[in-house]
């Protein structure tokens, strides 16, 4: 087989902006030698709503993920987020979940020479050897299972390998940080008894338990009940940006004790306190603009697509200056110091933050800049490889081990 990618890399290097040239040969070498794993990208919304093709080479495309961009950043594995917007999909969460799962498989089927579906640590390693992007799937929001543990098992069988217990909406079994103070929402004081059974079933299946988005009490209930290490697929440090979606230092230490990993979210408002405050200040106006648009469409008998609301969000995000890359690196550094070097990773939230990422991070092609910045701060090559993906691989492997153990000892 003809290996086309070195030419591709050359072409991309020539097309990249001047900033990309600041990545040293040493940083590049570390990047190329690592299995780089990102645990959260919302690209499936684009696959479904925009009919976006991951093989796109459109230079004007604003998306964070494409096969070329992944190759340029040596991204080895992506956990594609299966996220069902809970308001517009009311009444058919499972149906939309299945449509999103299908959209990921269809992309892999279109590009078998450059991408493969992956369901295990062994699959990720095989994709790495074959120079393909490993495509994994994580469900973002427990509402996708429609309060039915059988659907959870079906999603596992379809290849889903993590589930975020809640998204921004509290569901039947887990409180969310997104509406914990919202009046009128029925809360459970964390995880319900059924929710605890769901966590244990995820452990038994070998599906990673993801605590991003959950309310603080849900986090602590999950840590108390889980038999496998947890992940935070896309969460940053609350000490640096005081957002309820971010993790306190006590939580970071608890994840370390649990053996899990916290994968830093790149969203500007989650990594930078100044940006967060500026975004908060415009939140009411932004919501009003979205509502006006949604109401207009509803009056016409249409449902607004994610991409349309995303476009409005982009316009508002663009009014706030981007934070420096150092804000993102500060979060990685903080988690590495508080939780330990074995408990931090990358959970970009690519294609899910309406373009609001720190300066220099415009797509997966810019991931080597993170490696360079960590080198500049004195991190060793071995430690950087842990952050880039080694820690996630370890936690995934441990989750597989716990699953085998629980299935072997199952009572009949
Ligand atoms: Zn999210």
């Amino acid at each position: 087989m003809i290996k086309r990618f070195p030419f591709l890399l050359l072409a991309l290097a020539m097309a990249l902006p001047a900033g990309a040239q600041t990545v040293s040969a040493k940083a590049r070498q570390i990047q190329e030698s690592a299995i780089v794993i990102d645990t959260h990208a919302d690209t499936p919304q684009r696959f479904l709503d925009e009919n976006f093709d991951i093989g796109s080479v459109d230079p004007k495309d604003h998306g964070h993920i494409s096969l070329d961009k992944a190759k340029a950043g040596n991204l080895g594995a992506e956990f594609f987020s299966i996220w069902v917007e809970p308001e517009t999909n009311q009444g058919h969460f499972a149906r939309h979940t299945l449509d999103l799962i299908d959209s990921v498989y269809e992309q892999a089927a279109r590009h078998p020479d450059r991408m493969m579906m992956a369901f295990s640590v062994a699959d990720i390693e095989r994709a790495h050897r074959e120079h393909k992007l490993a495509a994994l799937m994580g469900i973002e929001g427990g509402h996708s299972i429609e309060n039915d543990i059988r659907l959870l098992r079906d999603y596992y069988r379809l290849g889903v390998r993590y589930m975020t217990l809640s998204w921004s909406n509290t569901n039947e079994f887990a409180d969310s940080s997104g509406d914990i103070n919202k009046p009128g929402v029925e809360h459970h004081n964390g995880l319900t008894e059924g929710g605890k059974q769901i966590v244990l079933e995820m452990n038994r299946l070998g599906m990673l338990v993801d605590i991003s988005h959950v309310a603080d009490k849900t986090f602590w209930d999950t840590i108390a009940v889980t038999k496998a290490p947890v992940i935070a697929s896309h969460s940053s440090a609350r000490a640096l940006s005081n957002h309820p979606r971010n993790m306190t230092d006590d939580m970071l230490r608890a994840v370390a004790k649990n053996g899990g990993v916290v994968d830093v979210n790149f969203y500007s408002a989650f990594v930078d306190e100044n940006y967060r405050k500026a975004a908060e200040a415009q939140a009411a106006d932004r919501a009003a603009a979205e509502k006006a648009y949604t109401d207009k469409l509803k009056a016409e008998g249409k449902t607004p697509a994610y991409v349309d609301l995303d476009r409005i969000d982009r316009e508002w995000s663009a009014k706030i200056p981007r934070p420096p890359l150092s804000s993102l690196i500060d979060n990685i550094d903080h988690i590495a110091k508080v939780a330990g070097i074995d408990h931090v990773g990358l959970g970009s939230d690519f294609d899910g933050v309406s373009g609001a990422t720190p300066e220099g991070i415009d797509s997966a092609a810019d991931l080597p800049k993170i490696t360079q910045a960590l080198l500049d701060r004195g991190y060793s090559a071995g430690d950087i490889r842990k952050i880039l993906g080694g820690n996630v691989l370890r936690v995934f492997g441990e989750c597989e081990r716990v699953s085998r153990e629980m299935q072997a000892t199952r009572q009949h």
Side-chain angles (χ1 to χ4, degrees):
M1 201 182 89
I2 300 162
K3 291 246 171 38
R4 280 168 301 167
F5 60 87
F7 301 104
L8 183 66
L9 274 183
L10 184 69
L12 275 164
M14 286 157 68
L16 288 173
Q21 259 74 53
T22 58
V23 175
S24 65
K26 188 177 181 197
R28 183 70 61 182
Q29 189 272 328
I30 294 169
Q31 192 78 18
E32 296 301 323
S33 68
I35 297 185
V36 182
I37 304 175
D38 176 35
T39 51
H40 199 92
D42 278 301
T43 325
Q45 303 297 323
R46 302 196 68 203
F47 299 156
L48 203 57
D49 291 352
E50 294 176 51
N51 205 14
F52 173 70
D53 188 318
I54 199 167
S56 167
V57 291
D58 178 2
K60 291 194 295 295
D61 183 66
H62 58 63
H64 288 141
I65 301 268
S66 72
L67 289 174
D68 280 0
K69 288 166 183 171
K71 182 65 83 179
N74 194 39
L75 176 63
E78 180 63 65
F79 280 81
F80 288 105
S81 172
I82 304 299
W83 169 71
V84 171
E85 204 289 322
E87 279 178 26
T88 52
N89 293 292
Q90 190 63 246
H92 53 264
F93 294 157
R95 166 63 196 264
H96 201 71
T97 303
L98 293 173
D99 286 349
L100 286 161
I101 289 172
D102 173 74
S103 79
V104 180
Y105 275 87
E106 284 298 297
Q107 293 294 325
R110 276 188 212 174
H111 304 283
D113 53 336
R114 304 176 70 194
M115 176 177 177
M116 61 178 261
M117 296 303 297
F119 312 103
S120 62
V121 169
D123 285 348
I124 293 173
E125 290 171 342
R126 185 160 69 85
H128 178 73
R129 286 195 301 274
E130 296 180 8
H131 305 287
K132 290 178 186 172
L133 176 67
L136 297 103
M137 296 176 293
I139 283 180
E140 179 171 24
H143 58 285
S144 270
I145 69 167
E146 298 190 351
N147 208 25
D148 184 346
I149 205 160
R150 290 167 296 196
L151 269 180
L152 173 76
R153 288 192 286 264
D154 286 333
Y155 294 147
Y156 178 85
R157 293 176 189 119
L158 284 169
V160 172
R161 287 299 176 268
Y162 76 64
M163 184 171 81
T164 320
L165 295 175
S166 80
W167 181 60
S168 299
N169 56 319
T170 288
N171 55 45
E172 297 91 339
F173 63 89
D175 286 348
S176 168
S177 65
D179 62 14
I180 194 68
N181 295 315
K182 197 171 164 185
V185 176
E186 191 193 326
H187 289 111
H188 319 289
N189 189 28
L191 207 54
T192 64
E193 279 311 309
K196 290 173 187 172
Q197 292 309 310
I198 286 165
V199 168
L200 289 171
E201 184 65 353
M202 290 171 75
N203 292 159
R204 191 187 70 83
L205 291 167
M207 190 188 285
L208 290 157
V209 177
D210 178 12
I211 53 76
S212 284
H213 280 287
V214 302
D216 290 5
K217 180 64 164 52
T218 309
F219 169 86
W220 292 109
D221 287 354
T222 305
I223 285 288
V225 74
T226 184
K227 294 189 183 304
V230 299
I231 63 165
S233 71
H234 59 311
S235 292
S236 302
R238 210 181 292 179
L240 300 184
S241 174
N242 189 23
H243 196 288
R245 260 283 273 114
N246 280 344
M247 298 178 70
T248 66
D249 286 358
D250 280 346
M251 290 172 164
L252 295 176
R253 282 185 280 265
V255 170
K257 196 159 168 250
N258 157 273
V261 62
V262 177
D263 300 324
V264 174
N265 190 316
F266 298 2
Y267 177 41
S268 296
F270 293 162
V271 295
D272 187 281
E273 180 69 2
N274 290 329
Y275 189 102
R276 186 191 69 77
K277 284 183 178 157
E280 196 175 76
Q282 60 162 225
D285 290 340
R286 184 193 288 234
E290 284 182 6
K291 191 178 178 302
Y293 180 78
T294 308
D295 289 349
K296 181 175 158 283
L297 279 201
K298 272 187 186 157
E300 295 167 9
K302 297 178 199 153
T303 314
Y306 172 75
V307 283
D308 299 324
L309 294 169
D310 183 60
R311 193 182 55 245
I312 295 172
D313 262 348
R314 274 171 198 278
E315 289 162 14
W316 285 93
S317 298
K319 295 176 204 259
I320 311 172
R322 293 172 81 176
L325 175 57
S326 60
S327 293
L328 168 58
I329 307 303
D330 287 347
N331 275 264
I332 297 174
D333 200 37
H334 182 84
I335 296 169
K337 286 199 169 83
V338 174
I341 190 68
D342 293 322
H343 306 285
V344 56
L346 306 178
S348 67
D349 218 345
F350 276 154
D351 288 331
V353 296
S354 303
T357 45
E359 274 176 354
I361 303 294
D362 294 316
S363 79
D366 295 316
L367 291 171
K369 293 180 186 172
I370 294 173
T371 296
Q372 181 64 57
L374 291 169
L375 261 183
D376 293 345
R377 292 200 190 191
Y379 280 78
S380 70
D383 284 351
I384 293 170
R385 278 191 285 267
K386 285 182 178 180
I387 295 167
L388 292 178
N391 288 334
V392 169
L393 267 192
R394 183 200 74 241
V395 170
F396 195 9
E398 187 61 16
C399 170
E400 291 174 343
R401 191 192 62 75
V402 170
S403 163
R404 282 193 299 272
E405 206 173 271
M406 287 175 79
Q407 295 193 27
T409 57
R410 191 180 189 182
Q411 301 296 311
H412 291 279

